[in-house]
Amino acid sequence: MWFFARDPVRDFPFELSPDPPEGGPPGPWVLHRGRKKATGSPVSIFVYDVKPGADEQTQVAKAAFKRLKTLRHPNILAYIDGLETDRCLHVVTEAVTPLKMYLKERAEAGGLKELELSWGLHQIVKALSFLVNDCSLIHNNVCMAAVFVDRAGEWKLGGLDYMYSSQGNGGGPPRKGVPELEQYDPPELADGSGRAVREKWSADMWRLGCLIWEVFNGPLPRAAALRNPGKIPKSLVPHYCELVGANPKVRPNPARFLQNCRAPGGFMNNRFVETNLFLEEIQIKEPAEKQKFFQELSKSLDSFPEDFCRHKVLPQLLTAFEFGSAGAVILTPLFKVGKFLNAEEYQQKIIPVVVKMFSSTDRAMRIRLLQQMEQFIQYLDEPTVNTQIFPHVVHGFLDTNPAIREQTVKSMLLLAPKLNEANLNVELMKHFARLQAKDDQGPIRCNTTVCLGKIGSYLSASTRHRVLISAFSRATKDPFAPSRVAGVLGFAATHNLYSMNDCAHKILPVLCGLTVDPEKSVRDQAFKAIRSFLSKLESVSEDPTQLAEVEKDVHAASSPGMGGGAASWAGWAVTGVSSLTSKLIRAHPAAAPAEPNVPQRPTVEGLPTPAPTPVPATPASPGHWETQEEGTDTAEDGGAADRWDDEDWGSLEEAESVLAQQEDWSPGGQASRAGQTSNLAAKSPESDWSSWEAEGSWEQGWQEPSPPEPPLEGTRLASEYNWGGPEPGDKGDPFAALSARREAGAQLRPDSWGDDNWEGLETESRQGKAELARKKREERRREMEAKRAEKKAAKGPMKLGTRKLD
């Protein structure tokens, strides 16, 4: 029986990439790209092939293998795994690129910024400080070839082949035997006697000066070139000169060199270095320090390298959210860093955090998520939106904070295309009906109407037929003028979703009533909409064959593509409303004053008066809002920009926890709730809004007009008269008979137009109503006085200080 020895290289859990090697430090090592077989994660593999007769070089390679395995420091190349056989040595480290190759690639892309170079050199000096001061080791090989860069742009110190102890317990420095490395040796080593007085770090600090020169000026041709700083920044030149001074005694300790460069105005005293230093110690920072850091971080991210943001800042942000108490402050930098990720990375790293954040009860986090939804909505799939996000978002409709309610309404514009049938056509419409009818903030009612106009095309055909006309008709009766404008423009934005019959019988009567609205902005929009609908009706009247084309969208299924027409009106009613809402919230955080009386608008003759809707309280009269924000009143052509996202709700940082329960709309609940407006209590709809077809919802609709009354007996139609020719002499004046009957008809029909004095009708009517109201009040007063007198007589005189005992 034959037994075959297993090949350790073949069984090694890492494999070399087929790409050509990337070189490596001067010496026997060759750097290859590689990957882990199990996960495919990238790594770097340093390979040394054992050659016959190279025992000294093999011992140096094995010593480097041992040093790299035992030394652990954030600024030293991280060891992952290794393989040692008689034929080769394999050292697996984190995925890195040689500094020389990295600088070349970045130079082709525009070059490295001083911020990146300052942090990279800071890391190398910190690694040298660790070796010299903490481990008593001399690196003995500091140069461009011994520095590597990971995917986050972090510089790592490698090339540990020629390291030795500074305490002399392991022999002197090993012989390099590589001519390329001799030019980095300090001049005192040329002294054969070795009597030069120097510190243990002197040689490495000289080599550090050579590295600095190469980073800014390219490969070092000879040692004499060090005398010319070249492109080294002026803030670094004084400290560089200390490193390459002829006297080794005055070369600074690595720790002192860092301290000098971090002094005010120093090369390493900048925001990028400070950010990195904070991130390295973030686990031991106080919560208040973390909050302040994340608040200021987003301002600096624009000037930071992309790789640094993706691979260093992002993991720290995710960790701070998962295990810390950072809260809402991480959202802004998180989404800013998310712009650097591709779709797959975004799904893996950002979306799970976003989904978890939506379940938070922190008001500040919720409102920031809603404000920044546009940045991540495209990465959310429909099942995630409907099952994990929308159920939490709808709690915002019931929140007591007006800012959250308003932002929740605005977010529906982004969520609507991804909502399923039940959430969009049932659940969302229920909340919209409640907000539009009963919210005490006028701008929120206005924005609800605006949002409905924008998402109307996403609704099903049956929902559009039931909801849109009733909703926009209700908006035209709102005491808040921008809400009435939004209702008119909502009709115009969704004009393609109505049949010609609805346009003639339901929409135009509503619009005609607005032509005498107290606000000119409402009248102007009403006239425009009326002309638009009349033009549409006239075109179909002239050519009935166009009816099918005009009504093609009325019964069509919901389609995202149909939203373009409504979205083009997006600048209309909402322009300026957000800023008004923010003013309202900051001025009246608890409750708003009641809406003053608004003159009633005349109704369309021949149509029954619609059922009264509850009139919410608004912060000011329409005229007051008009003077504050002219953009709302003049939003005519749909060209103004939508400013929903311009508001800064930073004042909600310390907001209390969210109230996620439904408000009680029963009469008892209204009476017990503080701050409830009196006109809301005037009507008592059902307490449960689970069915949005209930009283006060958009389902109340409009009824068909009643048929006209028949003319009085004996009245002749105008078509029976001979208007063009001469009258026969025996007939007399045709209007004489009508004039004779007019007085009798006026007595039989109080609503007749028989009185010629039309100008006095309105005045007499008002005087009659006022007189009737005065009489009722007087009668009621007398009744109350009589009751009080009866009670007083029955009880008799009251005695002070006595109490009736049983």
Side-chain angles (χ1 to χ4, degrees):
M1 183 179 294
W2 295 90
F3 294 95
F4 295 95
R6 299 179 65 181
D7 186 357
V9 176
R10 182 178 301 173
D11 296 336
F12 195 51
F14 299 89
E15 63 180 1
L16 300 178
S17 171
D19 298 334
E22 296 183 334
W29 294 99
V30 179
L31 176 59
H32 293 263
R33 294 183 181 274
R35 68 179 185 90
K36 190 173 184 178
K37 294 179 181 179
T39 62
S41 55
V43 295
S44 290
I45 303 177
F46 292 83
V47 179
Y48 170 72
D49 293 325
V50 178
K51 298 178 181 178
D55 294 341
E56 183 179 2
Q57 200 173 43
T58 301
Q59 292 302 320
V60 169
K62 290 183 178 181
F65 189 173
K66 181 180 178 181
R67 294 289 190 188
L68 194 61
K69 185 188 297 186
T70 56
L71 284 173
R72 296 289 182 176
H73 190 268
N75 305 126
I76 293 179
L77 198 59
Y79 172 87
I80 297 178
D81 202 349
L83 175 67
E84 183 176 355
T85 66
D86 296 337
R87 294 181 290 112
C88 66
L89 292 176
H90 285 192
V91 178
V92 182
T93 69
E94 58 185 320
V96 291
T97 303
L99 178 60
K100 184 177 181 179
M101 183 180 299
Y102 179 77
L103 292 177
K104 181 179 179 181
E105 293 174 354
R106 292 299 301 269
E108 295 173 355
L112 281 176
K113 300 178 181 178
E114 270 194 22
L115 293 177
E116 301 174 70
L117 294 176
S118 66
W119 175 241
L121 292 174
H122 185 284
Q123 293 176 295
I124 299 303
V125 179
K126 196 172 182 180
L128 289 176
S129 177
F130 167 74
L131 293 175
V132 171
N133 299 314
D134 298 337
C135 304
S136 297
L137 294 173
I138 306 300
H139 187 274
N140 198 33
N141 190 28
V142 180
C143 62
M144 179 84 75
V147 180
F148 302 88
V149 184
D150 68 5
R151 60 179 184 172
E154 305 278 275
W155 292 18
K156 308 284 185 175
L157 183 61
L160 309 182
D161 305 66
Y162 310 107
M163 183 178 291
Y164 66 97
S165 174
S166 63
Q167 298 174 349
N169 54 357
R175 191 175 67 86
K176 298 180 180 179
V178 181
E180 293 90 340
L181 299 178
E182 293 180 356
Q183 63 179 346
Y184 299 108
D185 291 337
E188 62 268 16
L189 293 184
D191 184 2
S193 63
R195 296 175 181 175
V197 179
R198 60 180 183 270
E199 301 289 350
K200 57 183 179 180
W201 58 78
S202 297
D204 278 348
M205 297 307 286
W206 170 277
R207 297 185 180 98
L208 175 64
C210 298
L211 172 64
I212 292 175
W213 195 95
E214 288 189 312
V215 165
F216 291 99
N217 298 298
L220 180 66
R222 56 189 181 276
L226 297 173
R227 298 175 183 176
N228 182 15
K231 298 179 182 179
I232 298 176
K234 292 181 179 180
S235 59
L236 184 58
V237 169
H239 310 296
Y240 161 78
C241 293
E242 291 181 351
L243 299 178
V244 295
N247 185 359
K249 189 69 176 177
V250 298
R251 293 173 195 157
N253 184 291
R256 188 166 70 85
F257 178 81
L258 281 180
Q259 185 178 358
N260 295 338
C261 292
R262 291 278 295 133
F267 178 67
M268 298 179 184
N269 183 23
N270 55 62
R271 177 63 180 165
F272 188 57
V273 173
E274 292 173 358
T275 300
N276 278 280
L277 292 176
F278 190 95
L279 289 175
E280 289 183 350
E281 302 174 352
I282 193 171
Q283 303 302 331
I284 61 175
K285 297 293 185 181
E286 295 293 331
E289 294 179 296
K290 294 180 183 180
Q291 289 276 340
K292 182 179 179 182
F293 171 76
F294 287 124
Q295 286 176 354
E296 298 175 353
L297 178 61
S298 59
K299 303 175 184 177
S300 306
L301 288 177
D302 294 332
S303 61
F304 289 174
E306 179 179 329
D307 291 338
F308 167 77
C309 295
R310 293 174 56 194
H311 301 296
K312 189 167 183 179
V313 175
L314 180 59
Q316 292 292 348
L317 291 173
L318 299 178
T319 302
F321 170 74
E322 190 71 23
F323 304 106
S325 56
V329 294
I330 72 166
L331 287 177
T332 301
L334 181 66
F335 291 133
K336 187 168 285 189
V337 174
K339 296 178 181 179
F340 300 130
L341 305 179
N342 56 40
E344 183 178 357
E345 291 177 321
Y346 205 102
Q347 286 284 347
Q348 294 175 354
K349 298 180 180 180
I350 305 293
I351 293 304
V353 176
V354 169
V355 172
K356 189 174 181 180
M357 285 179 176
F358 270 108
S359 62
S360 172
T361 56
D362 181 8
R363 274 178 162 164
M365 180 176 291
R366 288 171 54 201
I367 198 166
R368 289 197 179 186
L369 278 172
L370 296 174
Q371 286 175 331
Q372 303 184 51
M373 186 179 290
E374 190 174 0
Q375 301 187 32
F376 58 83
I377 186 64
Q378 66 268 28
Y379 301 105
L380 296 174
D381 54 15
E382 293 185 8
T384 301
V385 170
N386 286 280
T387 60
Q388 301 183 55
I389 292 181
F390 184 75
H392 297 295
V393 173
V394 292
H395 291 160
F397 291 123
L398 304 168
D399 200 282
T400 56
N401 191 304
I404 294 182
R405 297 202 303 274
E406 183 188 42
Q407 205 62 46
T408 304
V409 171
K410 297 173 185 178
S411 68
M412 291 302 110
L413 187 61
L414 299 172
L415 289 178
K418 296 179 180 288
L419 294 181
N420 57 29
E421 181 79 12
N423 285 337
L424 178 62
N425 294 285
V426 179
E427 185 71 15
L428 181 59
M429 293 300 103
K430 175 187 72 174
H431 289 289
F432 270 22
R434 176 183 173 277
L435 285 176
Q436 194 196 38
K438 299 184 174 298
D439 198 279
D440 61 350
Q441 305 294 340
I444 295 180
R445 301 195 302 272
C446 176
N447 279 341
T448 302
T449 306
V450 170
C451 187
L452 182 63
K454 293 182 179 182
I455 68 173
S457 60
Y458 299 112
L459 303 175
S460 64
S462 59
T463 303
R464 293 197 302 261
H465 180 72
R466 295 195 308 268
V467 166
L468 293 184
I469 295 180
S470 295
F472 295 141
S473 298
R474 168 182 290 170
T476 61
K477 301 174 181 63
D478 197 292
F480 187 54
S483 292
R484 302 201 295 277
V485 174
V488 176
L489 294 171
F491 277 129
T494 55
H495 66 92
N496 59 313
L497 304 179
Y498 309 118
S499 66
M500 293 295 98
N501 188 57
D502 287 342
C503 292
H505 291 90
K506 297 181 178 180
I507 298 177
L508 279 176
V510 177
L511 296 177
C512 289
L514 295 176
T515 57
V516 291
D517 191 272
E519 295 293 330
K520 188 177 187 303
S521 61
V522 180
R523 299 195 298 271
D524 292 343
Q525 296 299 339
F527 282 119
K528 284 188 176 183
I530 289 172
R531 285 193 290 268
S532 175
F533 280 104
L534 285 177
S535 175
K536 193 173 182 180
L537 289 168
E538 187 177 3
S539 64
V540 174
S541 176
E542 295 293 335
D543 185 6
T545 59
Q546 295 183 8
L547 181 62
E549 176 65 19
V550 171
E551 295 186 351
K552 64 178 181 179
D553 295 333
V554 175
H555 302 290
S558 60
S559 171
M562 294 167 58
S568 64
W569 281 76
W572 26 271
V574 75
T575 304
V577 174
S578 267
S579 58
L580 295 178
T581 308
S582 64
K583 293 175 185 177
L584 164 71
I585 294 166
R586 290 164 186 157
H588 307 280
E595 173 74 14
N597 294 330
V598 177
Q600 295 291 330
R601 294 174 298 281
T603 58
V604 181
E605 183 69 22
L607 289 178
T609 303
T613 56
V615 180
T618 53
S621 65
H624 174 65
W625 289 101
E626 182 181 6
T627 57
Q628 279 190 335
E629 200 72 39
E630 295 179 1
T632 303
D633 299 333
T634 58
E636 299 175 349
D637 301 326
D642 190 341
R643 298 191 297 181
W644 272 356
D645 299 323
D646 291 350
E647 296 308 314
D648 179 18
W649 302 106
S651 59
L652 296 176
E653 287 292 339
E654 305 298 331
E656 63 273 19
S657 60
V658 66
L659 179 64
Q661 58 185 8
Q662 271 195 340
E663 297 178 6
D664 183 13
W665 289 97
S666 62
Q670 291 183 1
S672 63
R673 191 167 64 245
Q676 180 68 37
T677 54
S678 59
N679 45 5
L680 276 177
K683 184 175 180 178
S684 302
E686 298 179 5
S687 61
D688 183 12
W689 279 88
S690 59
S691 173
W692 53 273
E693 287 115 351
E695 178 187 358
S697 73
W698 291 335
E699 279 297 321
Q700 64 188 16
W702 286 74
Q703 302 175 0
E704 292 296 329
S706 56
E709 298 182 7
L712 294 177
E713 183 178 357
T715 302
R716 297 173 60 189
L717 300 177
S719 58
E720 299 180 12
Y721 300 111
N722 183 13
W723 295 95
E727 289 287 343
D730 56 348
K731 286 189 177 181
D733 185 1
F735 293 100
L738 289 179
S739 300
R741 299 191 196 98
R742 187 165 51 196
E743 296 180 1
Q747 297 175 0
L748 294 175
R749 298 180 58 200
D751 58 345
S752 172
W753 286 359
D755 192 354
D756 290 337
N757 186 16
W758 287 8
E759 296 180 357
L761 285 178
E762 185 176 358
T763 304
E764 293 177 2
S765 175
R766 289 179 180 176
Q767 292 176 352
K769 291 181 180 179
E771 182 66 21
L772 180 61
R774 188 186 63 76
K775 291 181 179 180
K776 287 183 178 180
R777 287 196 300 270
E778 185 66 23
E779 183 179 351
R780 177 63 177 169
R781 185 180 61 80
R782 287 194 296 268
E783 291 179 0
M784 295 299 294
E785 289 179 354
K787 288 182 180 180
R788 283 195 293 267
E790 292 176 1
K791 291 180 180 180
K792 187 174 180 180
K795 292 181 180 180
M798 298 182 65
K799 297 181 180 180
L800 297 178
T802 63
R803 183 178 178 182
K804 184 179 179 181
L805 300 177
D806 295 333

